[in-house]
């Protein structure tokens, strides 16, 4: 008998792959289990016939007898053995069915870890011990009873005999005679009486007895679920039919089944339906719509800036906010409509678009969420981005509507958030292009399709080249040259900006090493841009410094360019990272200065060497007094902070002369040169001829 104490339990692994068996044996090395193995169901049954086994873990897909059939046979022959299924092909429905039928105690999914295996073994042992104890108690308490009926050839009952514990199970008083089947049918729930009667009649009419499940009502109004299993046979005389039925109380199993089914279709955190429930609702309504020709609408809702809540106030607070949001959203639902939580901060609603109800509902949600949520002592405001898709014809599927509503929701977020967008085919084309480009970027990284061009950075006073800005380009195998403004936003949204940014760092270091080896009088520095997403990576500074060390170059040869708005997006985190880079002797440059919103207090804390004036201020400054004044102010500000200034986008000699007069130290732009390949970059080291 299985025991959960310190005694050694015997485990039998059954799998047709010896490699899997060896792996499972290794996982239990040093653990208090005696391990046996079998490579087929037949071999397993042979072992069980001679050797006591406490737990059997079988693969499902095996030649000959399947694992489920083996475990069914084990249940019949050795009901005290704990039965566990190991498979890579389990589904939720298969899991529920197998557990409910009692063939197994639990599932383990391949590949299995040691932690998962040990947890399953110990829990399986405890469950079987508990199962056996409850079985004994239930039998003692009358949770299993039986009856026997003999019937003559004309279908008349000769006699009916009940087991003694029927009174307890059916809650009958002591005066009730146990001599007919009506005492059962009188206890059955009105909705299930036909099922109970049909089960008995079918047995007697067809000499076959399928099991039946139905409810009985107790005197206190509660009901219990009953499983009736029967067998029918003809007496030796051939004149009398004998029906023997066993009634088992399966209420606890039904409750567990309902809990499993509830968990399968509901979100644990909010209690709302989940994605599986959404698919179920959509499939059902789309089927009905085919007949009724009623238009359906699917709303996809995303909380704006929810990540900021988690990052600043913690995930526990974020969970509380989601629960409060779900409760408020539920109060807004029309009749026979339910809210769904898809996961994270995404929600969905399916509504019949009668008289434009979807627009009314979307506006209602937006207005309701304008009121703050009060959680503890904190008040927080939440806005939504809502995408809406409609079904167009009877061929529309649930997955198609979900995809279109999701696309519309992201379109809403891209247009400033807190807005409502309806799906159209242009969005689908855009999403398709986005998906393809994401895939192509991933391939491009693997195939080294990205490369750097270099635009000279010139000392405005001496007109000597002192460095280069590294600019990323993509030579697509089918579409040719793709510029950064086309692929960088996609890379940032997909998360590929991280490996792409790492690639830029590596290529910049490799080029700095190559130029350092030229041994010219001055080795030019290389500046490169860093995305705000890279700044959020806690290991970014370490990655950069490790790459520099790997190429054995002077960190001073590199300048890291960060945008003003990028730093301010998460100022404290960015400042810690920038100070870490500065500590490693890298130079820092604030890019596109003047277009962001940094305050002087933060600007003083940024350990930057340079400010780069955005090209929008340089363009036309010779003819625009306002732009000229802005450029002059930035140069004065940088000088007071001990920073040099780089002006980008210089295209005319007049601009160059004005910048020199204002004391700007560096410049770059088409006046000097366009971005060049690494081979052409060092061919010219000064631009003194420009002013001749």
């Amino acid at each position: 008998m299985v025991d959960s104490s310190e005694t050694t339990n015997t485990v039998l692994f059954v799998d047709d792959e010896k490699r899997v068996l060896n792996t499972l044996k290794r996982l239990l090395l040093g653990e208090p289990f005696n391990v046996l193995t079998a490579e087929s169901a037949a071999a397993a049954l042979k072992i069980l016939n001679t050797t006591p086994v406490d737990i059997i873990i079988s693969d499902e897909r095996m030649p000959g007898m399947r694992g489920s059939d083996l475990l069914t046979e084990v249940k019949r022959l050795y009901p005290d053995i704990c039965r566990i299924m190991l498979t890579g092909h389990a589904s939720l429905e298969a899991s529920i069915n197998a557990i409910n039928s009692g063939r197994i105690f639990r599932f383990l999914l391949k590949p299995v870890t040691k932690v998962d295996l040990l947890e399953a073994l110990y829990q399986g042992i405890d469950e079987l011990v508990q199962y056996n104890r409850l079985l004994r108690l239930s039998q003692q308490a009358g949770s299993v009873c039986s009856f026997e009926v003999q019937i003559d050839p004309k279908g008349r009952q000769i006699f009916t005999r009940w087991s003694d514990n029927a009174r307890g199970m059916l809650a009958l008083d002591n005066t009730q005679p146990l001599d007919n089947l009506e005492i059962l049918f009188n206890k059955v729930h009105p909705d299930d009486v036909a099922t109970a009667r049909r089960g008995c009649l079918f047995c007697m009419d067809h000499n076959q007895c399928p099991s039946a499940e139905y409810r009985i009502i107790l005197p206190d109004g509660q009901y219990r679920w009953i499983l009736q299993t029967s067998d029918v046979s003809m007496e030796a005389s051939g004149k009398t039919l004998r029906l023997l039925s066993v009634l088992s109380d399966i209420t606890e199993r039904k409750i567990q089944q309902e809990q499993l089914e509830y968990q399968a279709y509901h979100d644990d955190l909010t209690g709302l339906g989940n994605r599986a429930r959404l698919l179920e609702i959509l499939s059902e309504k789309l089927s009905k719509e085919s007949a009724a020709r009623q238009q359906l609408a699917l709303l996809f809702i995303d909380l704006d800036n929810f990540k900021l809540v988690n990052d600043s106030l913690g995930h526990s607070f974020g969970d509380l906010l989601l629960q409060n949001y779900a409760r408020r959203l539920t109060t807004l639902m029309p009749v026979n409509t339910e809210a769904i939580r898809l996961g994270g901060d995404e929600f969905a609603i399916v509504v019949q678009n009668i008289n434009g109800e979807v627009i009314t509902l979307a506006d209602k949600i937006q207005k309701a969420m304008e009121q703050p949520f009060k959680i503890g002592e904190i008040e927080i405001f939440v806005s939504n981005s809502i995408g809406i898709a409609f079904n167009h014809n009877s061929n529309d599927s649930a997955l198609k509507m979900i995809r279109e509503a999701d696309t519309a929701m992201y379109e809403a977020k891209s247009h400033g958030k807190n807005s409502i967008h309806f799906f159209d085919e242009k969005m689908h084309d855009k999403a398709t292009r986005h998906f393809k480009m994401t895939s192509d970027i991933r391939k491009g990284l693997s195939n080294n399709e990205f490369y750097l061009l270099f635009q000279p950075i010139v000392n405005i006073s001496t007109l000597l080249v002192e460095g280069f800005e590294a600019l990323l380009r993509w030579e697509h195998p089918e579409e040719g040259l793709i510029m950064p403004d086309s692929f960088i936003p996609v890379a940032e949204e997909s998360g590929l900006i991280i490996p792409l940014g790492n690639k830029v760092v590596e290529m910049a270091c490799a080029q700095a090493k190559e130029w350092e080896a030229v041994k010219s009088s001055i080795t030019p520095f290389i500046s490169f841009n860093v995305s705000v997403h890279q700044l959020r990576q806690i290991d970014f500074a370490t990655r950069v410094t490790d790459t520099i060390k790997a190429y054995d170059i002077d960190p001073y040869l590199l300048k890291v360019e960060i945008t003003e708005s990028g730093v301010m997006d998460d100022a404290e985190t960015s400042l810690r990272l920038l100070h870490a880079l500065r500590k490693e002797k890298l130079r820092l440059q604030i890019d596109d200065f003047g277009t962001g919103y940094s305050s002087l207090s933060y600007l003083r804390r940024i350990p930057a060497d340079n400010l780069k004036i955005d090209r929008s201020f340089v363009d036309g400054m010779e003819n625009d007094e306002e732009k000229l004044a802005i450029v002059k102010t930035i140069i004065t500000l940088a000088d007071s902070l001990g920073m040099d200034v780089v002006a980008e986008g210089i295209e005319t000699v007049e601009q160059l002369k004005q910048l020199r007069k204002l004391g700007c130290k560096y410049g770059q732009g088409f006046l000097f040169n366009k971005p060049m390949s690494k081979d052409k970059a060092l061919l010219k080291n000064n631009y003194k001829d420009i002013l001749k």
Side-chain angles (χ1 to χ4, degrees):
M1 185 68 182
V2 175
D3 193 343
S4 58
S5 65
E6 296 298 322
T7 59
T8 300
N9 292 297
T10 299
V11 181
L12 172 59
F13 291 119
V14 188
D15 199 296
D16 59 315
E17 293 184 51
K18 187 172 289 186
R19 172 183 55 82
V20 175
L21 292 175
N22 290 336
T23 299
L24 293 170
K25 286 177 67 176
R26 282 196 299 271
L27 291 177
L28 292 187
L29 284 176
E31 300 297 332
F33 293 96
N34 177 34
V35 179
L36 304 175
T37 61
E39 295 182 30
S40 67
L45 291 171
K46 190 173 181 180
I47 291 173
L48 292 171
N49 190 41
T50 59
T51 307
V53 170
D54 300 306
I55 309 154
I56 181 170
I57 300 181
S58 175
D59 184 32
E60 165 67 327
R61 295 193 172 185
M62 297 186 296
M65 184 184 288
R66 295 181 308 168
S68 54
D69 294 330
L70 168 63
L71 295 180
T72 301
E73 185 69 3
V74 171
K75 177 190 175 185
R76 185 180 71 84
L77 297 173
Y78 312 98
D80 287 345
I81 293 179
C82 177
R83 302 172 298 280
I84 298 175
M85 178 75 76
L86 175 64
T87 180
H89 306 276
S91 66
L92 178 60
E93 183 178 355
S95 173
I96 292 173
N97 290 339
I99 291 173
N100 286 343
S101 65
R103 286 178 292 158
I104 66 171
F105 282 78
R106 59 179 54 249
F107 265 86
L108 268 178
L109 297 180
K110 292 180 180 177
V112 64
T113 66
K114 182 169 184 174
V115 172
D116 292 336
L117 179 59
L118 288 175
E119 181 181 14
L121 289 173
Y122 286 120
Q123 288 185 0
I125 291 170
D126 289 340
E127 287 173 8
L128 188 55
V129 170
Q130 183 72 356
Y131 169 80
N132 288 327
R133 186 180 69 82
L134 290 175
L135 179 60
R136 290 192 299 271
L137 289 174
S138 67
Q139 290 173 335
Q140 294 168 7
S143 293
V144 176
C145 71
S146 62
F147 65 82
E148 177 186 359
V149 182
Q150 286 195 6
I151 303 164
D152 67 17
K154 294 184 179 181
R156 294 173 298 192
Q157 295 182 25
I158 299 174
F159 73 85
T160 301
R161 180 188 300 126
W162 284 87
S163 61
D164 292 338
N165 55 355
R167 294 187 189 280
M169 184 170 178
L170 300 178
L172 302 172
D173 60 48
N174 292 330
T175 63
Q176 176 75 52
L178 300 177
D179 58 0
N180 62 79
L181 284 182
E182 292 305 314
I183 63 173
L184 170 63
F185 299 141
N186 289 338
K187 288 289 185 178
V188 174
H189 191 287
D191 294 342
D192 299 343
V193 170
T195 299
R197 289 188 181 276
R198 188 165 54 245
C200 294
L201 290 174
F202 188 91
C203 281
M204 293 182 282
D205 291 343
H206 297 83
N207 290 340
Q208 292 181 344
C209 295
S211 60
E213 294 182 2
Y214 48 81
R215 292 162 292 175
I216 61 171
I217 301 177
L218 302 180
D220 60 3
Q222 297 186 22
Y223 65 83
R224 307 290 292 177
W225 275 99
I226 299 299
L227 170 66
Q228 179 177 331
T229 54
S230 304
D231 187 33
V232 65
S233 61
M234 186 68 69
E235 292 296 315
S237 63
K239 296 181 180 180
T240 306
L241 197 66
R242 179 175 176 268
L243 172 66
L244 177 64
S245 294
V246 176
L247 307 183
S248 305
D249 188 332
I250 59 168
T251 305
E252 297 305 319
R253 195 176 84 190
K254 277 289 188 179
I255 292 173
Q256 291 176 3
Q257 181 179 347
E258 290 172 1
Q259 289 174 342
L260 281 172
E261 291 176 349
Y262 181 87
Q263 291 168 4
Y265 290 98
H266 289 81
D267 171 54
D268 288 339
L269 180 65
T270 62
L272 300 181
N274 60 13
R275 183 176 290 271
R277 175 62 180 149
L278 174 63
L279 285 168
E280 184 179 59
I281 293 172
L282 273 175
S283 299
E284 179 183 337
K285 288 186 177 293
L286 285 170
S287 176
K288 289 182 178 179
E289 181 274 337
S290 297
R293 289 288 183 265
Q294 292 177 335
Q295 189 179 52
L296 292 178
L298 173 61
L299 290 79
F300 254 46
I301 308 168
D302 185 88
L303 276 65
D304 298 327
N305 302 316
F306 182 73
K307 184 178 184 301
L308 184 60
V309 174
N310 274 341
D311 291 346
S312 58
L313 299 174
H315 287 271
S316 296
F317 185 91
D319 287 347
L320 289 173
L321 176 58
L322 290 172
Q323 290 170 338
N324 280 267
Y325 182 93
R327 281 194 288 271
R328 185 178 296 181
L329 187 65
T330 300
T331 65
L332 306 174
M333 293 301 98
V335 177
N336 297 325
T337 304
E338 63 180 281
I340 299 291
R341 183 188 176 216
L342 296 169
D345 59 344
E346 292 186 351
F347 296 80
I349 305 165
V350 181
V351 61
Q352 287 188 334
N353 189 36
I354 302 172
N355 299 323
E357 185 171 348
V358 63
I359 299 174
T360 303
L361 178 60
D363 288 337
K364 194 175 179 182
I365 292 170
Q366 295 289 63
K367 290 176 182 176
M369 300 309 168
E370 290 175 358
Q371 299 301 315
F373 290 90
K374 186 171 178 60
I375 301 174
E377 298 300 317
I378 299 176
E379 276 195 352
I380 188 165
F381 289 85
V382 173
S383 63
N384 320 270
S385 295
I386 302 179
I388 302 174
F390 299 96
N391 66 316
H392 304 289
N393 54 61
S394 59
N395 295 323
D396 282 345
S397 68
L399 291 176
K400 181 174 182 286
M401 286 191 72
I402 289 174
R403 183 177 66 247
E404 292 179 352
D406 190 42
T407 300
M409 183 267 289
Y410 276 103
E411 189 72 14
K413 292 186 80 69
S414 69
H415 282 75
K417 305 178 181 180
N418 195 28
S419 60
I420 302 169
H421 269 64
F422 295 89
F423 176 82
D424 61 42
E425 287 302 324
K426 291 181 181 178
M427 291 182 191
H428 176 68
D429 295 340
K430 179 181 176 182
T432 301
R433 290 194 301 272
H434 184 284
F435 178 80
K436 184 179 184 303
M437 181 166 283
T438 300
S439 177
D440 287 352
I441 291 172
R442 200 180 304 275
K443 293 177 184 176
L445 283 166
S446 299
N447 298 333
N448 294 316
E449 295 168 7
F450 294 93
Y451 63 95
L452 296 179
L453 293 181
F454 300 90
Q455 186 171 36
I457 298 174
V458 178
N459 185 309
I460 289 180
S461 297
T462 65
L463 296 180
L464 296 176
V465 176
E466 293 195 12
F468 293 89
E469 180 178 3
L471 300 167
L472 187 62
R473 298 291 185 266
W474 181 13
E475 188 63 34
H476 193 282
E478 297 172 0
E479 300 180 24
L481 179 64
I482 301 180
M483 299 299 285
D485 57 354
S486 295
F487 66 82
I488 290 296
V490 177
E492 289 184 327
E493 189 173 329
S494 64
L496 290 172
I497 193 64
I498 304 303
L500 194 58
N502 294 338
K503 184 73 172 177
V504 169
V505 173
E506 185 175 344
M507 290 190 292
C509 288
Q511 192 56 56
K513 181 68 175 179
E514 183 179 326
W515 284 343
E516 191 177 34
V518 173
K519 303 296 184 184
S520 60
S521 57
I522 298 177
T523 301
F525 65 81
I526 297 176
S527 67
F528 57 87
N529 287 281
V530 170
S531 164
V532 62
H533 298 276
Q534 291 172 272
L535 288 178
R536 292 173 183 161
Q537 300 293 306
I538 58 175
D539 64 341
F540 175 69
T542 303
R543 280 181 175 272
V544 173
T545 54
D546 286 348
T547 306
I548 290 172
K549 291 174 184 176
Y551 280 92
D552 191 26
I553 58 173
D554 184 352
Y556 199 71
L557 294 177
L558 299 178
K559 281 188 180 180
V560 176
E561 292 193 24
I562 36 99
T563 62
E564 178 185 7
S565 57
V567 174
M568 295 306 298
D569 189 59
D570 185 354
E572 295 303 324
T573 300
S574 298
L575 287 172
R576 284 195 298 270
L577 186 146
L578 295 176
H579 278 287
L581 291 173
R582 199 71 182 87
K583 187 177 180 181
E584 297 294 334
K585 300 182 180 179
L586 275 86
R587 290 187 283 178
L588 305 176
Q589 182 165 285
I590 301 175
D591 195 12
D592 299 338
F593 187 77
T595 62
Y597 50 88
S598 58
S599 64
L600 282 178
S601 61
Y602 271 110
L603 192 59
R604 290 178 183 277
R605 296 172 60 190
I606 299 175
D609 304 275
N610 302 96
L611 290 181
K612 180 179 277 191
I613 302 175
D614 186 69
R615 66 178 65 249
S616 61
F617 299 120
V618 176
D619 181 28
M621 62 178 283
E622 65 272 31
N623 301 313
D624 189 323
E625 290 296 327
E626 184 177 344
K627 287 186 177 181
L628 183 63
I630 291 173
V631 171
K632 182 177 181 180
T633 301
I634 293 174
I635 293 173
T636 302
L637 174 63
D639 184 61
S640 69
L641 295 173
M643 299 180 190
D644 293 325
V645 175
V646 181
E648 65 175 346
I650 302 174
E651 296 186 356
T652 69
V653 172
E654 185 60 31
Q655 291 170 359
L656 174 63
K657 289 179 178 178
Q658 284 186 322
L659 288 166
R660 176 185 270 186
K661 184 178 179 180
L662 292 173
C664 180
K665 185 168 184 178
Y666 297 109
Q668 68 181 97
F670 285 178
L671 178 64
F672 304 113
N673 230 321
K674 296 180 180 180
M676 301 172 285
S677 67
K678 64 177 183 178
D679 298 324
K680 294 181 180 179
L682 293 187
L683 295 179
K684 188 169 185 176
N685 61 7
N686 76 81
Y687 290 87
K688 295 180 180 180
D689 56 322
I690 288 177
L691 295 180
K692 289 183 181 180

